[in-house]
Amino acid sequence: MSPDMPLIAIEEHWIMPDLTSALRAAPHHDESLVFHEMGDNQERLEDLGAGRIAAMDAQGIDVSVLALTPPGAQPLPPKEALALSRAANDVATAAVARNPARFRSLSTLPMSSPKDVAGELERAADMGHVGTMVYGRSGDLFLDDLAYDDFFSAASELGQPVFIHPQLPSAAVRDASYRGFDPMTDLALATFGWGWHMDAATAALRLILRGTFDRHPDLQVVLGHWGEMLLFWLDRADSLSRIAGLQRSVSDYIRSNFSITTSGMLNPALLQHALSVTSVDRLIFSTDYPFQRPTREEVDSFLNHFSSDAERQQFSSANAASLYGIDGSIRGGCPTARGC
């Protein structure tokens, strides 16, 4: 990759100790919080300063788009979720203000309080957040529930892309499909090994089937992990469009309303498949830091699988810059991390 070609990474995770404490105190706390404590993850997640920037420099990343790590404030009661979402958005805003050439941020929203979601999205957008990250379910309320329609309307009008991140499947789904092994294998199967991704793909598909994009045709959604398996099942999913009475095929919504990130899975076979079902202008670089940590050499090797410098630049920075409104004046006096 050319040293003067910038690299923007979205979905780069962080945590806020107050929120973590609240999540741990919840009656049925999210077991996936254990992943934050593995190795040096917690130290890296809490660092919104020099250590994170050093890690970015080592990977050749110019701008990181910060996102509060799962499960956000989504499992908390409405009042607590609103207070901690606002606090998280304030913390992220301050981190960006300290390093405006290196950071942007996605907002955290109080999804357990649907009436407050659009308002907090607007407040966060006014503070400079470039998009938001949500999950497919809050309690028993699915993301496609019409209770969230004002949120999607606001996201569309404000030009705030909505990143749907995986979350731990519900207790009922876990009991039905993800138990029967030792506790850690149960958890791994329900999370990064399979369940996270099926859950996020289902949330995205439900949004399509609910007619969300017919009501809000300009709404933009982002999926990580190469589309959370959905890109690999579009031949079958397309048959749902007629049954659901949609205006377009599922594939068409994917190609026009969804962007797809790598989430650190730098496999050229996945790239080729993604290019076969969507276009290069819908693909965005992400490392899923700190849970995935590709080296600069691994990133460069992957980028060589694009057919041209123009496509490489779209994937490495131009698509993210366009979607999230990130201007070209990154890194201040140094054009890119690769050139410093």
Side-chain angles (χ1 to χ4, degrees):
M1 181 175 173
S2 170
D4 61 355
M5 189 177 291
L7 190 61
I8 299 174
I10 73 168
E11 186 202 359
E12 306 299 273
H13 293 292
W14 68 282
I15 58 173
M16 187 173 72
D18 287 353
L19 177 56
T20 299
S21 296
L23 291 167
R24 291 200 175 283
H28 304 288
H29 76 268
D30 190 315
E31 293 173 53
S32 67
L33 292 171
V34 70
F35 300 139
H36 302 173
E37 300 171 353
M38 291 183 170
D40 63 353
N41 281 348
Q42 183 161 332
E43 178 184 353
R44 288 175 178 264
L45 286 165
E46 291 181 354
D47 187 342
L48 291 175
R52 184 177 291 259
I53 290 173
M56 290 166 58
D57 288 344
Q59 293 177 303
I61 294 170
D62 298 286
V63 175
S64 281
V65 181
L66 306 171
L68 197 68
T69 199
Q74 203 133 339
L76 298 174
K79 185 176 180 180
E80 192 173 17
L82 177 58
L84 286 168
S85 293
R86 291 175 66 91
N89 292 333
D90 291 345
V91 169
T93 298
V96 174
R98 289 192 298 271
N99 288 287
R102 305 305 302 273
F103 295 148
R104 298 294 187 275
S105 59
L106 304 183
S107 62
T108 300
L109 298 177
M111 301 302 286
S112 60
S113 184
K115 67 182 178 61
D116 293 313
V117 173
E120 183 57 20
L121 177 73
E122 184 172 359
R123 189 184 80 93
D126 287 344
M127 292 192 298
H129 291 257
V130 297
T132 192
M133 178 176 281
V134 300
Y135 303 85
R137 186 188 68 262
S138 184
D140 294 328
L141 200 61
F142 288 110
L143 187 59
D144 60 281
D145 194 286
L146 292 178
Y148 293 122
D149 208 50
D150 286 346
F151 157 57
F152 288 116
S153 178
S156 179
E157 291 174 8
L158 293 168
Q160 292 272 294
V162 178
F163 196 120
I164 303 176
H165 196 279
Q167 69 183 144
L168 193 66
S170 69
V173 171
R174 289 189 69 190
D175 288 345
S177 301
Y178 298 116
R179 298 203 189 275
F181 304 95
D182 64 272
M184 187 52 73
T185 302
D186 284 355
L187 182 61
L189 180 61
T191 55
F192 62 82
W194 191 258
W196 265 348
H197 312 294
M198 185 68 73
D199 195 83
T202 302
L205 191 54
R206 287 183 63 101
L207 278 182
I208 294 172
L209 296 179
R210 189 69 67 186
T212 307
F213 301 99
D214 293 340
R215 294 190 302 279
H216 310 293
D218 295 328
L219 176 66
Q220 294 298 310
V221 168
V222 183
L223 291 175
H225 309 98
W226 292 106
E228 309 294 3
M229 301 190 282
L230 188 54
L231 295 191
F232 297 88
W233 209 245
L234 289 177
D235 286 353
R236 297 289 282 183
D238 274 342
S239 63
L240 293 167
S241 296
R242 176 178 53 83
I243 302 298
L246 299 178
Q247 296 175 8
R248 296 180 280 152
S249 67
V250 170
S251 293
D252 196 39
Y253 294 103
I254 293 292
R255 286 190 289 265
S256 59
N257 295 95
F258 285 79
S259 292
I260 307 299
T261 84
T262 55
S263 299
M265 301 166 63
L266 302 184
N267 183 337
L270 299 178
L271 169 64
Q272 294 309 312
H273 179 76
L275 288 171
S276 76
V277 295
T278 191
S279 53
V280 69
D281 62 310
R282 290 282 163 180
L283 303 183
I284 296 176
F285 176 74
S286 164
T287 69
D288 204 7
Y289 180 88
F291 306 109
Q292 303 291 333
R293 305 178 195 176
T295 65
R296 180 186 296 224
E297 292 72 26
E298 288 169 335
V299 172
D300 285 344
S301 176
F302 177 75
L303 290 170
N304 284 331
H305 289 277
F306 286 87
S307 62
S308 67
D309 281 346
E311 287 196 349
R312 265 186 289 278
Q313 186 162 16
Q314 281 184 283
F315 171 77
S316 65
S317 61
N319 294 341
S322 175
L323 182 66
Y324 287 108
I326 301 172
D327 63 42
S329 58
I330 56 178
R331 278 299 304 226
C334 181
T336 69
R338 294 165 180 274
C340 295

